[in-house]
Amino acid sequence: MYLEFGMTAQAPHPPIDTSKPHSARVYDALLGGKDNYPVDQQVAELLPVEAKVGARQQRSFMNRATAWLAGEGVTQFLDIGTGIPTEPNLHQTAQEIRPSARVVYCDNDPIVLRHAEALLVSRPEGVTDYVHADVREPAIILDAARETLDFDRPIALSLLGLLHFLPDSEDPIGIVRTFTDAMAPGSYVVLSHGASDVNEEIGQRSEDEYQKGGIQLALRSREEFARFFEGLEIAAPGLVKAPEWFNGTPAPTQEFSGIYVAVARVP
């Protein structure tokens, strides 16, 4: 078993700022993880209980979607906004089906980098790599990912629990389009997004609590989320809530969800 790293991961570790919450560490706290700090825990504890449910639902959706894509023959994965490793990780799910799968993870939290070196370890037949970068700089991510992935062949791009931290002023649709424009036909995009139109009271409370911690949360409606898929071919079962997405796998437990998800093919 081995872990292959690109240039960015070989650079000196950037410092971890424990005075400010980070969305990846808040997410870890919501999942019941231990790789977070009091500032992250304070935000997580003040969020509605539905936020914890949503974090779990997104994680489960990631595994179902990855398994389906690997079953469809996809052998390359680019996961941006990876978060602190929580088993099963994406590469474990993909390589269980496609042992030779190549996976590139990306996040901008230094603590994720430190855990990635120890935990995101590939099977011998495959490769895992980690890029320390921000989704707002897609060109940097693409350049680093090309060291491991062949962009002339299909790639599955995952952006889970991330886009709702990008306000419209940062052009999240344009960022996603930059990635999809670089991907070969037959590639896939896997997205999730917090909903603004499922329970407005819960959504507003979540936005307020994140804002108090200095993190901007930009929930969007189903119609607004659908704009991320313009020009793409949404796969069955369509744009649905997280527990409603399953494709050739056992149906998950149906429960309240404020998370929209979809998988779409690049034509």
Side-chain angles (χ1 to χ4, degrees):
M1 299 177 72
Y2 64 94
L3 177 62
E4 178 181 309
F5 280 102
M7 294 184 299
T8 51
Q10 293 176 353
H13 284 169
I16 297 174
D17 185 352
T18 62
S19 67
K20 298 178 181 178
H22 189 286
S23 57
R25 299 195 300 266
V26 173
Y27 187 71
D28 180 68
L30 289 170
L31 288 171
K34 303 183 185 303
D35 299 304
N36 48 75
Y37 297 96
V39 289
D40 309 301
Q41 296 162 15
Q42 289 169 11
V43 174
E45 289 168 0
L46 291 172
L47 288 170
V49 66
E50 288 81 5
K52 181 181 292 186
V53 173
R56 171 176 53 78
Q57 290 172 344
Q58 286 184 109
R59 196 78 195 172
S60 180
F61 162 67
M62 179 272 287
N63 284 301
R64 293 195 303 276
T66 300
W68 178 72
L69 289 166
E72 290 292 296
V74 177
T75 59
Q76 301 190 108
F77 297 82
L78 174 57
D79 181 43
I80 303 175
T82 298
I84 294 166
T86 303
E87 291 193 347
N89 293 292
L90 187 150
H91 75 280
Q92 293 170 315
T93 299
Q95 292 180 349
E96 181 69 24
I97 299 168
R98 301 285 174 184
S100 63
R102 305 174 73 86
V103 180
V104 173
Y105 292 105
C106 176
D107 206 289
N108 69 345
D109 185 356
I111 197 172
V112 178
L113 168 59
R114 299 188 183 188
H115 286 285
E117 293 177 337
L119 300 175
L120 300 181
V121 180
S122 173
R123 287 191 177 208
E125 305 95 321
V127 174
T128 59
D129 196 358
Y130 183 85
V131 177
H132 184 75
D134 195 298
V135 68
R136 299 169 185 84
E137 300 173 320
I140 292 175
I141 296 173
L142 288 168
D143 285 345
R146 286 189 176 97
E147 295 183 11
T148 301
L149 305 179
D150 179 359
F151 277 74
D152 290 328
R153 297 192 298 110
I155 294 170
L157 167 69
S158 298
L159 292 153
L160 301 175
L162 177 61
L163 294 173
H164 46 234
F165 292 110
L166 299 178
D168 290 344
S169 60
E170 294 181 339
D171 190 21
I173 293 176
I175 290 172
V176 173
R177 192 59 47 84
T178 298
F179 286 111
T180 57
D181 285 349
M183 293 159 58
S187 294
Y188 285 88
V189 179
V190 184
L191 306 182
S192 71
H193 204 295
S196 65
D197 55 353
V198 172
N199 187 312
E200 294 183 7
E201 182 180 350
I202 291 174
Q204 188 60 57
R205 183 180 162 196
S206 296
E207 290 184 348
D208 292 344
E209 295 302 338
Y210 269 109
Q211 185 63 46
K212 290 175 185 177
I215 301 173
Q216 186 165 5
L217 182 66
L219 301 177
R220 294 182 172 90
S221 67
R222 188 181 189 281
E223 181 179 358
E224 290 170 326
F225 181 48
R227 293 182 56 205
F228 286 96
F229 298 96
E230 291 178 358
L232 306 177
E233 301 168 351
I234 297 180
L239 195 162
V240 296
K241 294 174 184 173
E244 299 170 354
W245 199 99
F246 55 98
N247 202 332
T249 59
T253 300
Q254 296 304 298
E255 57 185 346
F256 172 86
S257 179
I259 303 294
Y260 289 126
V261 303
V263 177
R265 183 178 182 276
V266 178

